[in-house]
Amino acid sequence: ELCNDKVKLRKYKIEDVPLLHKELGCNPAMVKYTGWNPYSTIESTKDFISEIIDDYGKDCNNYGWIIEAEGKAVGIIGAYDYIAEDDSIEIGYSIFEEYWGKGYVSSAVALVCEHLLNTEQIGSIRAWSAAENTASKGALEKAGFIQTEIKELFNKIIRMKKENLIIKLKKYKII
């Protein structure tokens, strides 16, 4: 468990499945910028959360937390895709739409970065944000990330109204 004056980060529990499916899997606004949706069905949500829970206690450089504020779950944050060659790990997060704009992301990102850099001794942290997602960009910059690259890529996973969607991603890094 990690906490500061704004948020508490706790490990996932299987009891989180219905809430995560409802808030992240059933709300189109939540997958607009993510490119994938492991929460689209109750079954896929349960499988995804079970994998994260199974990784707890293993030395596999995969981390996942529920973000709590106001006495309830307000989102998720995780770290994954460790690259040994440059001693870096990627973070990602989602805040339930009802809690957008309240500063929970930047607070949670700061906690996770402190934990990864100081406790886990990982050398650097990466994050991606859709170029037009100004809220995510602001949260990353508030937590100390700097933009290092802009990349356009074809994303076959996103299937909104267009079959072929080019998305522009901004890459950030904190050292």
Side-chain angles (χ1 to χ4, degrees):
E1 188 173 287
L2 306 172
C3 58
N4 60 24
D5 59 343
K6 192 149 190 144
V7 296
K8 176 173 93 171
L9 308 183
R10 66 159 173 86
K11 291 181 177 181
Y12 286 91
K13 299 183 280 194
I14 205 68
E15 295 81 18
D16 295 322
V17 167
L19 177 67
L20 294 174
H21 168 65
K22 176 182 172 256
E23 295 292 339
L24 300 175
C26 297
N27 182 347
M30 295 305 301
V31 294
K32 181 176 181 181
Y33 300 118
T34 61
W36 68 303
N37 186 0
Y39 309 101
S40 60
T41 68
I42 286 286
E43 295 78 24
S44 64
T45 304
K46 185 176 181 185
D47 290 346
F48 184 67
I49 298 308
S50 294
E51 283 181 39
I52 294 170
I53 292 169
D54 288 347
D55 281 347
Y56 289 145
K58 294 180 183 175
D59 188 21
C60 61
N61 288 318
N62 285 324
Y63 307 87
W65 298 274
I66 293 286
I67 303 168
E68 290 186 342
E70 303 177 25
K72 54 190 149 199
V74 299
I76 60 167
I77 190 165
Y80 41 82
D81 293 342
Y82 177 77
I83 299 174
E85 294 79 36
D86 67 355
D87 190 25
S88 73
I89 196 164
E90 185 171 324
I91 64 165
Y93 45 80
S94 290
I95 295 292
F96 305 157
E97 188 173 16
E98 174 183 352
Y99 301 100
W100 288 358
K102 296 190 176 204
Y104 298 140
V105 170
S106 54
S107 195
V109 166
L111 266 176
V112 168
C113 289
E114 181 182 331
H115 175 74
L116 294 171
L117 294 170
N118 298 327
T119 304
E120 300 296 331
Q121 299 292 302
I122 293 173
S124 66
I125 302 168
R126 340 179 277 288
W128 289 91
S129 170
E132 67 275 11
N133 190 345
T134 56
S136 186
K137 174 186 182 273
L140 289 170
E141 290 175 349
K142 187 175 179 183
F145 281 76
I146 57 167
Q147 182 182 321
T148 60
E149 175 181 348
I150 296 179
K151 180 185 266 187
E152 281 191 359
L153 67 105
F154 173 71
N155 191 336
K156 294 185 280 188
I157 301 170
I158 296 177
R159 300 244 191 266
M160 290 183 273
K161 293 186 178 174
K162 299 177 184 174
E163 275 301 307
N164 300 322
L165 180 66
I166 301 291
I167 60 172
K168 190 176 279 189
L169 296 176
K170 290 185 177 182
K171 185 177 181 180
Y172 292 84
K173 191 170 188 175
I174 191 168
I175 299 174

